[in-house]
Amino acid sequence: MNIGLPRIDNLIETKEEKEVEIYSKYKEFIGKKVVLYAPTFRRNIKDPKPYAMNLLNALKSDDIVFIVKSHPNQFVGIPDTCPEYSTDDLLSVADYCITDYSATALEAAILGVKTLYYVYDFDDYSKKNGMNINLFD
């Protein structure tokens, strides 16, 4: 299928190939729910680690693999689970994507990945950065 945007076309065209590659490298992911946490870049956040740890602790389960993928310009305080893969690559194995204001949500939707929004700083973020959509609508 050709969507017309090279980034989206690439996501669709390489999904199966990336899925096979990642599962062959991370066999412990097979048969589990894969949850990808991919937050956007935030200005003026003092320490993002407590927020990432809240998710990690809430999702601790033998049935869940929690993958952390920091924004390239901001470390969330927990090392990336699969540093050799991009967020887009990891969407190919994700059952769920937890993000916030990131375009990753749109990419996840294109691949049919269920998306959850973790917007712990919504009021502050929308004042400082602005929003182009109302996430709550």
Side-chain angles (χ1 to χ4, degrees), residues 46 49 60 114:
K46 293 176 184 141
K49 185 175 181 177
K60 274 192 178 177
K114 295 174 183 99

Side-chain angles (χ1 to χ4, degrees), residues 59-77:
L59 295 170
K60 274 192 178 177
S61 168
D62 292 339
D63 299 338
I64 295 174
V65 172
F66 186 74
I67 298 175
V68 176
K69 193 64 184 175
S70 296
H71 186 279
N73 296 323
Q74 187 168 55
F75 178 59
V76 297

Side-chain angles (χ1 to χ4, degrees), residues 48-99:
K49 185 175 181 177
Y51 304 105
M53 289 302 297
N54 286 343
L55 282 176
L56 178 62
N57 290 329
L59 295 170
K60 274 192 178 177
S61 168
D62 292 339
D63 299 338
I64 295 174
V65 172
F66 186 74
I67 298 175
V68 176
K69 193 64 184 175
S70 296
H71 186 279
N73 296 323
Q74 187 168 55
F75 178 59
V76 297
I78 301 173
D80 283 2
T81 310
C82 308
E84 69 277 24
Y85 291 106
S86 71
T87 301
D88 289 348
D89 293 341
L90 293 168
L91 283 170
S92 68
V93 296
D95 294 293
Y96 299 91
C97 176
I98 300 175
T99 191

Side-chain angles (χ1 to χ4, degrees), residues 13-133:
E13 292 167 5
T14 62
K15 181 189 184 316
E16 289 179 24
E17 174 187 326
K18 287 296 177 185
E19 184 176 12
V20 168
E21 180 183 329
I22 292 168
Y23 278 136
S24 68
K25 184 164 187 166
Y26 292 95
K27 293 183 182 1
E28 65 272 22
F29 292 4
I30 298 170
K32 297 187 178 185
K33 292 290 180 191
V34 177
V35 178
L36 171 63
Y37 177 48
T40 196
F41 176 77
R42 286 177 165 77
R43 291 183 190 93
N44 305 320
I45 188 168
K46 293 176 184 141
D47 183 9
K49 185 175 181 177
Y51 304 105
M53 289 302 297
N54 286 343
L55 282 176
L56 178 62
N57 290 329
L59 295 170
K60 274 192 178 177
S61 168
D62 292 339
D63 299 338
I64 295 174
V65 172
F66 186 74
I67 298 175
V68 176
K69 193 64 184 175
S70 296
H71 186 279
N73 296 323
Q74 187 168 55
F75 178 59
V76 297
I78 301 173
D80 283 2
T81 310
C82 308
E84 69 277 24
Y85 291 106
S86 71
T87 301
D88 289 348
D89 293 341
L90 293 168
L91 283 170
S92 68
V93 296
D95 294 293
Y96 299 91
C97 176
I98 300 175
T99 191
D100 41 33
Y101 318 102
S102 175
T104 296
L106 302 173
E107 293 151 355
I110 289 288
L111 295 179
V113 177
K114 295 174 183 99
T115 304
L116 302 149
Y117 293 87
Y118 185 41
V119 291
Y120 55 84
D121 60 347
F122 179 79
D123 291 335
D124 189 49
Y125 188 92
S126 59
K127 284 178 191 169
K128 290 181 180 174
N129 298 291
M131 302 291 289
N132 59 359
I133 62 169

